[in-house]
Amino acid sequence: MTVTWEELGWERLADGVGRCRLPGWDCTAGLVLGVDAALMVDAGSSLDEGARLREGARRLAGRRVTHLALTHPHFDHVFGAAAFTGAQVYGAFGAAGTGALFAPGGQGRQALRADAVAEGLDSRAAREAAEALSPVRHEVRGEHPLDLGGGRRVLLADVGPGHTGHDLAVLVPGSPDVLFCGDLVEESGEPQAGPDAVPSHWPAALDRLLELGGDDALYVPGHGAVVDAAFVRVQRDALAARFGVSR
């Protein structure tokens, strides 16, 4: 039986495009539906959360998720990835090798696990997610189009570094265009710059987002409410001032 986005607690952004604001860290997961395929943007903070996203996507799409785009390698965006069995997993160029992130037993996985526990995720859930973490099989260098069928094409773009060394954006052309920004843009709080951030390049990454989306797109942050181009410009200027980046 067909269900609506709203019935599942999701937010419809455009025809065949929506997102779910997840509890806990208010992290966004996006979904783009085509005739032949379905793309999930980010996977949640645990295997259980990933499974709930997978089931919601199945009910909305009438099929399994075929593609998964991970906007950056932080636990609250990737720890649900293993729930999407059989999906083609995409990340920004270099993400697969970051600190042996996707190597079994690698130091990157252990760092993600430790960060998750420090942020309040149950230690058992963090361990299970880190051990099961799905590898990025497709690294995006520059831009990569995806055809989801029925005229639905999306563009994956390596726009970083900025929030991390490997930031991926997802542009969904339509009426309106929708741009999933990951944590390059945050609305519910000040953008977080951890030890893997590259502050000197972050304003330029936001300039790239603005080039992709233009003035009329909906910009979907990694955390918080959907924003417009004016918000992104203000955040870009604030980050430039905060990090002493000349413009």
Side-chain angles (χ1 to χ4, degrees):
M1 185 176 73
T2 303
V3 297
T4 67
W5 300 89
E6 292 75 16
E7 286 173 333
L8 292 182
W10 291 55
E11 179 183 0
R12 181 183 180 276
L13 302 174
D15 184 30
V17 186
R19 62 103 175 232
C20 181
R21 288 177 70 169
L22 299 166
W25 293 277
D26 190 23
C27 185
T28 279
L31 181 63
V32 186
L33 305 180
V35 170
D36 303 319
L39 167 69
M40 179 69 69
V41 182
D42 285 338
S45 62
S46 68
L47 291 174
D48 284 346
E49 204 160 62
R52 290 194 296 272
L53 289 170
R54 180 194 64 208
E55 176 60 17
R58 185 196 64 78
R59 294 183 65 187
L60 288 163
R63 68 179 67 84
R64 69 176 181 86
V65 169
T66 55
H67 301 74
L68 173 63
L70 301 175
T71 61
H72 62 286
H74 282 170
F75 84 90
D76 50 336
H77 296 261
V78 305
F79 262 9
F84 296 92
T85 305
Q88 299 182 45
V89 184
Y90 292 80
F93 180 74
T98 304
L101 176 59
F102 295 102
Q107 294 179 352
R109 292 188 186 218
Q110 297 312 310
L112 281 181
R113 174 184 171 184
D115 185 43
V117 173
E119 291 292 331
L121 185 64
D122 174 77
S123 60
R124 179 177 178 179
R127 183 183 69 253
E128 290 175 345
E131 291 174 351
L133 192 58
S134 298
V136 168
R137 297 297 189 189
H138 305 277
E139 291 191 323
V140 176
R141 185 198 293 265
E143 298 179 354
H144 180 79
L146 281 180
D147 187 349
L148 302 182
R152 170 71 75 192
R153 295 179 64 85
V154 303
L155 184 70
L156 309 182
D158 180 3
V159 296
H163 175 65
T164 70
H166 310 282
D167 293 306
L168 186 75
V170 179
L171 175 65
V172 188
S175 300
D177 292 349
V178 177
L179 183 60
F180 292 94
C181 305
D183 286 3
L184 285 169
V185 178
E186 294 194 42
E187 185 275 336
S188 55
E190 186 176 79
Q192 298 301 301
D196 57 344
V198 187
S200 61
H201 290 265
W202 200 331
L206 295 188
D207 283 333
R208 181 69 183 118
L209 290 179
L210 289 164
E211 290 174 3
L212 286 168
D215 286 339
D216 299 324
L218 298 179
Y219 291 80
V220 185
H223 303 264
V226 175
V227 300
D228 59 13
F231 180 97
V232 177
R233 292 190 185 96
V234 170
Q235 195 155 96
R236 174 200 62 193
D237 293 345
L239 286 168
R242 173 180 167 187
F243 297 126
V245 180
S246 60
R247 300 196 49 75

